[in-house]
């Protein structure tokens, strides 16, 4: 039967009046200013504020996906009883989740995110929340309400000093206070209290829905600092949505702008979206007492009763806001700022993945050291161990749900035995009542690093309206957030089903290479019309679910918070294992898990006893000026050992410009040559890399910065052991380029590895010196011979050489000087090592050379001229066996 309904969220979560804010008279009820200990001896001390770079899309995205989503995962643990008047309590973790949600919003808005829980406030607010739930209404003066039950003095006091809401509880209610929809909330008073700058302590009271009683929240927002001076904020104003990047789910119909002491009575608001004007309808202009004056408007013709957030944009959307004629002490000012709304489930060009680097072997008998690379805005990391095993099952509901997690309405079965695509079972999602029906695959799955990967299934949508939508969703963070990768709405009007037979569907998963995924099938209806039958003729039938190119990944252990950049791993057992890391915000809030690093565990003693690999060079790079012809930057690299090695090689020009490097080559080309019997043989070349997911994912897995321009050049290729030359062809121009070689560790036969890099170039001054970068991974130290050669090149007929080069080796991108040399002065150890490695002898003591033993890490070797002299020089980095 086709039925029509109002939006479910409106019916079940919100009444006619949802929220109420403290009225102005409540401010007069504040107690006299007391010391912190007199307010509550159990109040938590203020800590460091949460600060987020609102202009960094990736930092805001991870901030949202970690802290916001973490607040949704905490059960309240409420132990009260509304009918009997027992307010009960909630767990400390749940109270912290509420405060976290408040500090989350304050950090994005740019006001001090330092709110702490006050236990006295929370105890009284708990009484107020019970009163609202028990009486099915909202009042800041419940003792004055005729016939109200379970009213206590503490509850009455808290109601006058709190934001109060009915129909939800906990962090979800904080979202409601931020949204401030509906009549009576035109001045977004709840939002203003959440953003009140001087506030340092709040308390939360929450009760769950119970029988006919609705859930409720009371948030005590008026502490002893309510009239204190306004502290500094990120901007001189406080706006929501704020100036900068903001996830779409946090943008609602009502926008606001507050400024201390402002008079908005003559102000107007104009807006554009991606340059085109849209409406900005004034909602309210409110002066200040304890709270700053504010102007509120609705954007793009939206209703103040609109509960829905901003639609998820297919690409980042820029809103420019201008507020004219703001009277500040008799002077008129205008303010213009940009709000960029984005999809938080879609990484942007500044995406940075957390990755693991180290040996490919570890032992059960002792620790092996690995290196974690996390986003720069992280404060440490977490790591975990996984077992990886083949996935051989096809999920077809044969005899049972086959382990799928049933998230369906109890009034029907998620498994049917008729209308199957094959076999004797089929999965079924339908809507006997409005709601969200889910079936989640039983495990976590690691997607293959190389090769194809896909999710295939047989699908048939029967009787289903356009408001009933079938989606496949993936999660990369263990179910904290989900992203749709497939969607299909019904098309039935009652006369025929959407589909009369099963259709084979396939979703390409290669863009998730190396990552771990949870997978679920979701059938959603929220409002409009729907078919409310439990018959297999209605809803969504799913059969023969097959993950190709995936392994089952089972978490064996997860670490606590780790500071620094390395961790010690002792395998829990022998066999195929995986290691993952995730960056952390403020030590306690984890970001998304990065790609899996595969390790083979044996019974050895780790890096101390044969369980771990020796360290090795995994990345080499050279940055310099490249010209035309003989002046083109040519980087030599040696793949040593035996067998073959897969390398990613890049020539980067335009993307360097995005990092502020001046004078870059705008369209470089990569030519890879192999030195063979005294001549150079072309191997492969690339002009403009394809920007596709295979290379993009490889860059992310390797920790290479993303390329923002398709005019850069990049390849992934399997190379046998030999000497290679990567030429940066500038197509007739001259400019700065970066040549890089990365060991992917994905394809290796024998003992092949990178052992040497060298480059000859014109050395200038300042940013035009010659720089070679390299990364050492593994468990132990690695000895290298590094040379900066100028004068000795004259022996080979090179003109214009750098007569007196100096060499400096830095760690961590120049943060620490490891070693330096001006004149090598015929050092015997250096001369002997160079002879052993086959390096040409240095005839001039003015050249520079170092023998250094380095721990795993990131290093650069810089060659420049003493006293800013210039000329041709050669930089060389050799692995010493």
């Amino acid at each position: 039967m086709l039925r029509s309904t109002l939006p479910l969220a409106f019916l079940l979560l919100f009444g006619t009046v949802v929220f109420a804010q403290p009225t102005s008279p409540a401010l007069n009820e504040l107690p006299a200013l007391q010391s912190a200990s007199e307010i509550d001896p159990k109040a938590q001390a203020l800590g460091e504020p949460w600060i987020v770079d609102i202009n960094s899309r990736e930092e805001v995205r991870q901030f949202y996906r970690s802290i916001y989503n973490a607040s949704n995962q905490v059960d309240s643990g409420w132990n009260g009883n509304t009918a009997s008047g027992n307010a009960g309590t909630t767990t400390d973790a749940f109270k912290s989740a509420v405060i976290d949600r408040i500090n989350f919003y304050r950090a994005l808005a740019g006001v001090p995110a330092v709110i702490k829980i006050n236990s006295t406030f929370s105890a009284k607010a708990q009484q107020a929340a019970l009163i609202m739930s028990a009486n099915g209404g909202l009042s800041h003066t419940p003792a004055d309400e005729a016939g109200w039950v379970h009213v206590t003095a503490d509850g009455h006091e808290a109601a006058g000093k709190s934001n109060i809401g009915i129909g939800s509880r906990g962090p979800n209610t904080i979202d409601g206070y931020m949204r401030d929809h509906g009549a009576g909330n035109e001045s977004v008073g709840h939002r203003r209290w959440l953003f009140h700058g001087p506030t340092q302590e709040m308390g939360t009271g929450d009760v769950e829905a119970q029988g006919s009683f609705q859930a409720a929240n009371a948030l005590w927002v008026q502490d002893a600092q309510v009239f204190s001076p306004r502290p500094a904020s990120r901007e001189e104003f406080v706006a929501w949505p704020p100036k900068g990047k903001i996830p779409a789910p946090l943008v609602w119909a009502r926008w606001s702008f507050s400024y201390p002491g402002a008079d908005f009575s003559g102000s107007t608001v104009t807006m554009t979206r991606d340059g085109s004007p849209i409406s900005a309808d004034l909602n309210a202009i409110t002066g200040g007492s304890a709270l700053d004056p504010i102007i509120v408007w609705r954007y793009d013709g939206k209703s103040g009763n609109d509960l829905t957030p901003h639609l998820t944009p297919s690409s980042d959307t820029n809103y420019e806001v201008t507020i004219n004629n703001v009277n500040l002490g008799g002077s008129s000012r205008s303010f213009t700022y940009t709000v960029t709304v984005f999809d938080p489930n879609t990484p942007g060009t500044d995406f940075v993945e957390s990755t693991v680097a180290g040996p490919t072997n570890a032992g059960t008998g002792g620790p092996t050291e690995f290196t974690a690379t996390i986003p720069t805005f992280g404060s440490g990391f977490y790591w975990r161990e996984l077992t990886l095993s083949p996935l051989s099952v096809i999920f077809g509901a044969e005899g049972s749900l086959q382990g799928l997690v049933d998230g369906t309405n109890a009034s029907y079965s998620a498994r049917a035995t008729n209308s199957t695509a094959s076999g004797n079972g089929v999965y079924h999602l339908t809507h006997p009542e409005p709601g969200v029906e889910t079936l989640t695959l039983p495990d976590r799955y690691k997607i293959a690093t190389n090769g194809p990967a896909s999710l295939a299934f047989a699908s048939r949508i029967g009787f289903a309206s356009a408001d009933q939508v079938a989606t496949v969703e993936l999660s990369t963070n263990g179910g904290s957030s989900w992203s749709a990768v497939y969607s299909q709405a019904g098309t039935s009007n009652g006369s025929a089903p959407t589909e009369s037979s099963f259709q084979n569907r396939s979703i390409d998963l290669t863009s998730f290479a190396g990552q771990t995924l949870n997978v679920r099938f979701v059938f959603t209806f929220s409002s409009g019309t729907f078919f409310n039958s439990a018959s297999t003729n209605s809803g969504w039938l799913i059969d023969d679910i097959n993950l190709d190119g995936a392994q089952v990944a089972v978490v064996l252990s997860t670490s606590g918070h780790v500071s620094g950049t390395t961790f010690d791993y002792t395998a829990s057992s022998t066999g195929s294992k995986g290691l993952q890391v995730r960056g952390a915000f403020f030590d306690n809030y984890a970001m998304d898990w990065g790609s899996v690093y595969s390790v083979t565990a044996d019974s050895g003693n780790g890096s101390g006893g044969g369980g771990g690999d020796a360290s090795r060079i995994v990345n080499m790079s050279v940055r310099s000026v490249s010209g035309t012809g003989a002046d083109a930057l040519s980087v030599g690299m040696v793949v040593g050992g035996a067998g073959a090695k897969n390398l990613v090689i890049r020539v980067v020009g335009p993307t360097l410009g995005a990092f502020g490097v001046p004078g870059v080559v705008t369209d470089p080309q990569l030519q890879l040559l192999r030195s063979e019997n005294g001549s150079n043989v072309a191997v492969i070349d690339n002009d403009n890399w394809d920007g596709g997911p295979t290379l993009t994912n490889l860059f992310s897995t390797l920790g290479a910065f993303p390329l923002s321009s398709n005019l850069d050049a990049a390849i992934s290729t399997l190379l046998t052991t030999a000497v290679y030359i990567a030429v940066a062809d500038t197509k007739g121009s001259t400019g700065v380029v970066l040549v890089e070689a990365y060991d992917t560790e994905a394809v290796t036969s024998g003992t092949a590895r990178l052992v040497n890099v060298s480059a000859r170039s014109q050395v200038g001054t300042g940013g035009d010196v010659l720089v070679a970068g390299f990364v050492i991974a593994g468990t132990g130290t690695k000895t290298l011979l590094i040379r900066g050669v100028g004068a000795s090149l004259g022996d080979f007929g090179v003109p214009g050489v750098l007569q007196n080069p100096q060499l400096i080796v830095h760690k961590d991108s120049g943060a620490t000087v490891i070693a330096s040399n001006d004149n090598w002065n015929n050092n015997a150890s250096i001369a002997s090592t160079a002879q052993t490695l086959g390096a040409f002898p240095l005839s001039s003591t003015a050249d520079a050379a170092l023998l250094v033993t380095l721990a795993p890490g990131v290093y650069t070797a810089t060659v420049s001229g003493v006293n800013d002299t210039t000329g041709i020089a050669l930089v060389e980095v050799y692995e010493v066996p």
Side-chain angles (χ1 to χ4, degrees), residues 622-626 631-634 759-764 768-770 793 802 871-875:
V622 176
R623 191 190 79 178
S624 188
V625 174
S626 183
D631 292 328
L633 177 61
S634 299
R760 193 187 76 176
S761 179
Q762 174 73 29
V763 174
D768 291 334
V769 297
L770 181 56
L793 293 180
L802 183 64
I872 300 292
L874 175 73
V875 63

Side-chain angles (χ1 to χ4, degrees), residues 438-482:
T438 65
L439 280 169
T440 305
L441 295 192
D443 295 302
R444 180 181 287 102
Y445 305 97
K446 186 252 182 182
I447 305 305
T449 303
N450 290 287
S454 63
L455 171 64
F457 57 97
S459 172
R460 179 188 172 192
I461 298 179
F463 285 97
S465 73
D467 299 313
Q468 294 173 273
V469 182
T471 62
V472 177
E473 296 180 342
L474 307 178
S475 175
T476 58
N477 54 15
S480 293
S481 57
W482 296 86

Side-chain angles (χ1 to χ4, degrees), residues 389-395 441 443 445 546-552:
S389 59
L391 173 64
S392 57
V393 64
I394 294 177
F395 299 101
L441 295 192
D443 295 302
Y445 305 97
N546 183 29
L547 268 168
D548 184 43
Q551 293 173 288
V552 176

Side-chain angles (χ1 to χ4, degrees), residues 523-615:
F523 195 47
T524 304
F525 171 75
S526 58
S527 65
T529 58
F530 72 107
F531 288 85
N532 65 328
S533 171
S535 165
T536 53
N537 291 324
S538 294
W540 188 17
L541 295 173
I542 310 155
D543 208 346
D544 300 334
I545 303 168
N546 183 29
L547 268 168
D548 184 43
Q551 293 173 288
V552 176
V554 177
V555 177
L556 297 179
S557 63
T558 303
S559 75
H561 179 266
V562 180
S563 299
T565 60
T566 62
F567 64 95
D568 289 332
Y569 164 62
T570 300
S572 60
S573 61
T574 60
S576 178
K577 299 290 187 293
L579 296 175
Q580 282 180 297
V581 298
R582 61 195 308 186
F585 279 108
F586 319 122
D587 296 348
N588 297 320
Y589 304 89
M591 303 175 198
D592 291 345
W593 288 107
S595 297
V596 175
Y597 187 82
S598 296
V599 175
T600 300
D602 59 27
S603 58
N605 295 319
S607 57
D613 282 349
S615 58

Side-chain angles (χ1 to χ4, degrees), residues 349-367:
T349 56
D350 59 348
F351 170 69
V352 179
E353 185 181 26
S354 298
T355 58
V356 179
T360 55
N361 292 79
T364 60

Side-chain angles (χ1 to χ4, degrees), residues 453-458 485-486 503-509 546:
S454 63
L455 171 64
F457 57 97
V485 291
Y486 170 86
Q503 306 297 314
N504 293 323
R505 308 295 185 191
S506 182
I507 301 166
D508 184 9
L509 299 180
N546 183 29

Side-chain angles (χ1 to χ4, degrees), residues 41-340:
K42 296 181 289 297
Q44 299 181 32
L46 294 178
E48 291 296 318
W50 287 358
I51 297 175
V52 61
D53 182 359
I54 196 70
N55 295 309
S56 168
R57 186 188 189 279
E58 181 63 13
E59 185 167 347
V60 172
R61 191 179 83 88
Q62 289 290 355
F63 189 66
Y64 172 81
R65 288 171 64 83
S66 59
I67 293 177
Y68 182 92
N69 287 330
S71 296
N72 289 330
Q73 309 302 314
V74 182
D75 291 330
S76 73
W78 182 57
N79 58 7
N81 185 287
T82 304
S84 67
N86 176 13
T89 187
T90 58
T91 65
D92 289 343
F94 187 75
K95 294 183 182 72
S96 294
V98 176
I99 300 301
D100 283 353
R101 183 64 57 88
I102 296 166
N103 280 324
F104 165 82
Y105 280 117
R106 287 173 69 97
L108 289 178
V111 297
V114 294
I115 303 301
K116 298 296 181 183
I117 300 170
N118 182 299
S119 59
T120 298
F121 293 171
S122 291
K124 293 181 178 182
Q126 191 68 29
Q127 297 284 335
L130 177 81
I131 294 169
M132 307 308 149
S133 178
N135 294 282
L138 298 172
S139 173
H140 287 295
T141 56
D144 299 335
E145 303 292 341
W148 275 39
V149 299
H150 304 321
V151 177
T152 61
D154 283 348
H156 178 83
E157 179 190 7
K161 292 178 170 61
S162 299
N163 284 353
I164 51 178
I166 192 168
S168 70
R169 84 295 180 272
N172 288 336
T173 312
I174 306 304
D175 290 349
Y177 295 146
M178 283 293 301
R179 181 173 54 240
D180 251 351
H181 67 280
N185 294 322
E186 288 84 358
S187 63
V188 294
H190 306 94
R191 185 187 298 175
R192 295 172 76 197
W193 278 112
L194 292 181
F195 288 165
H196 188 43
T199 305
Q200 297 179 359
E201 297 177 330
M202 293 185 185
T204 182
D206 297 273
V207 301
E208 296 283 357
Q210 195 174 68
S212 61
F213 299 106
Q214 298 182 74
N217 167 268
L219 182 73
W220 188 303
V221 293
Q222 298 177 10
D223 68 357
Q225 307 302 319
V226 67
F227 288 117
S228 295
R230 179 182 184 268
S233 56
R234 184 179 60 234
E235 317 289 345
E236 56 181 318
F237 54 84
V238 176
W240 194 265
K243 173 186 175 181
K245 317 292 186 184
I246 192 73
L250 308 181
V251 177
W252 299 284
R254 286 177 172 150
W255 293 38
S256 61
F257 177 99
S258 66
Y259 196 101
D263 177 1
F264 293 110
S265 59
S267 301
T268 60
V269 181
T270 59
M271 292 182 68
T272 64
R273 178 170 51 223
D274 290 336
S276 300
I278 62 172
S279 63
D281 301 318
L282 282 182
N283 234 158
I285 295 173
T286 304
S289 51
L291 301 177
D292 290 334
I294 197 167
I295 184 170
V296 184
W297 67 96
R298 289 172 286 108
Y299 83 109
D300 202 24
K302 292 188 178 294
S303 164
N305 292 317
D306 194 341
L307 304 176
T308 58
H310 192 290
L311 292 175
T312 302
S314 57
S315 60
D316 295 2
T317 303
N318 293 312
Y319 291 89
E320 186 175 88
V321 177
T322 299
I323 302 173
N324 290 306
N325 198 28
V326 180
N327 189 330
L328 299 175
S331 299
S332 179
R333 280 188 63 185
S334 295
F335 297 86
T336 297
Y337 59 95
T338 300
V339 177
T340 302

